[in-house]
Amino acid sequence: MPTILITGANRGLGLEFARQYSADGWKVIACCRTPADAHELNELAAGADITVEQLDVNDFAAIDALGEKYKGVPIDVLLNNAGIIGPIPIAENAMRQHFSKMDYEVWEQVLRTNTFAPVKMAEVFLENVAASEQKKIVTISSTVGSIAEMSVPALAYASSKTALNRVMTIIAGQLKERGIIVAMYCPGYVKTRMDAFGYATVEVPESIAALRPMIADLTIEKTGSFTGHDGRTIGW
Ligand SMILES: NC(=O)c1ccc[n+]([C@@H]2O[C@H](COP(=O)([O-])OP(=O)(O)OC[C@H]3O[C@@H](n4cnc5c(N)ncnc54)[C@H](OP(=O)(O)O)[C@@H]3O)[C@@H](O)[C@H]2O)c1
């Protein structure tokens, strides 16, 4: 069966990805910052082919170490899911990423997690993906980063996803001749902890159930694409 490595797999979309891929018989490498507190994930892993790995994606030495541990192991789908919207609680801290109130440390943190880390993951696990059958690097982005479609004042989050989309499309071009597919998805406005204001409309299982068939259908012709959970191509 194929193997998927998921970052931020302890809650929200990452946990549901782990649940659904595992239920489908995949081998899941589920990464999270604090395995000891990842009760739902540990429960899920107990009865399945899920290996829980400790990984803070901001710790690049830890990414290198995990890469060493998995050297030579084919990974069909590298799923960059971990992400942050900004400081928590969001409601109290939202203005810290708005123009005239910018907290530049926050911006650096958001860029490191949402933009640098997915690239670092792709660099470190590239040969694992290349050695697999499916050869897919999938990253969860957001329409909030779309230059064509949105202008959201959350400067840190928006710019991190805009930059993510740009670098992933560049990498897609570079990896195309090796047959490695790079794709981005927006999961919709989903009811996870990121939805601090309670406006989200999409249920977590619904979002992941919509994304998985699209990830399954990815071909090299679709490399560099950015797609919504509704199947719509997003102008990144
Ligand atoms: N929900 C939405 O409406 C929505 C819309 C568009 C895009 N997205 C994207 O979807 C992805 C998943 O978000 P979500 O909605 O599931 O949010 P969430 O419930 O807040 O989950 C975020 C996940 O990322 C992990 N994470 C954050 N920083 C990390 C780090 N430095 N190292 C490792 N893991 C880290 C969190 O782990 P901890 O528990 O340790 O904090 C958690 O597992 C993100 O990339 C987000 O930008 C979400």
Side-chain angles (χ1 to χ4, degrees):
M1 284 309 281
T3 298
I4 186 167
L5 185 153
I6 306 169
T7 59
N10 57 305
R11 61 181 165 96
L13 300 175
L15 177 64
E16 186 61 22
F17 270 122
R19 182 177 287 124
Q20 291 195 20
Y21 274 105
S22 175
D24 222 11
W26 284 52
K27 182 175 171 48
V28 178
I29 303 164
C31 303
C32 64
R33 275 197 276 212
T34 326
D37 295 339
H39 304 301
E40 272 188 89
L41 177 60
N42 290 329
E43 214 169 284
L44 187 66
D49 193 353
I50 299 178
T51 306
V52 178
E53 295 286 1
Q54 197 278 327
L55 184 67
D56 180 333
V57 297
N58 291 342
D59 182 348
F60 288 7
I63 297 179
D64 284 330
L66 194 65
E68 275 301 312
K69 180 172 175 184
Y70 281 91
K71 207 169 187 169
V73 176
I75 294 175
D76 293 88
V77 178
L78 170 63
L79 182 53
N80 285 311
N81 164 77
I84 52 171
I85 198 163
I88 302 284
I90 304 163
E92 288 164 30
N93 287 293
M95 293 312 287
R96 289 171 64 195
Q97 58 172 312
H98 284 217
F99 180 67
S100 83
K101 301 235 179 332
M102 270 319 276
D103 178 331
Y104 289 89
E105 275 178 25
V106 162
W107 200 351
E108 274 180 356
Q109 257 174 34
V110 174
L111 283 173
R112 185 166 180 92
T113 307
N114 294 358
T115 314
F116 302 171
V119 175
K120 176 69 181 172
M121 289 294 295
E123 286 189 318
V124 169
F125 289 97
L126 181 62
E127 295 311 321
N128 303 78
V129 173
S132 75
E133 266 185 34
Q134 296 197 19
K135 299 182 176 49
K136 295 170 184 170
I137 298 174
V138 171
T139 301
I140 304 305
S141 186
S142 171
T143 44
V144 170
S146 164
I147 294 171
E149 296 195 8
M150 281 203 172
S151 181
V152 173
L155 298 189
Y157 187 69
S159 64
S160 74
K161 295 294 191 182
T162 305
L164 176 68
N165 294 336
R166 175 66 276 206
V167 297
M168 284 298 169
T169 54
I170 293 170
I171 293 167
Q174 291 174 328
L175 297 182
K176 194 172 183 180
E177 66 177 23
R178 292 189 70 185
I180 296 170
I181 306 164
V182 176
M184 289 83 68
Y185 291 93
C186 177
Y189 200 174
V190 196
K191 298 176 186 176
T192 65
R193 208 181 296 175
M194 208 169 266
D195 173 37
F197 300 100
Y199 296 148
T201 51
V202 182
E203 300 293 338
V204 174
E206 182 193 342
S207 170
I208 304 310
L211 295 178
R212 286 184 53 248
M214 290 189 265
I215 295 170
D217 286 347
L218 277 173
T219 58
I220 198 69
E221 288 70 35
K222 293 180 185 163
T223 197
S225 57
F226 181 24
T227 311
H229 79 294
D230 51 4
R232 187 174 64 88
T233 295
I234 301 167
W236 56 266

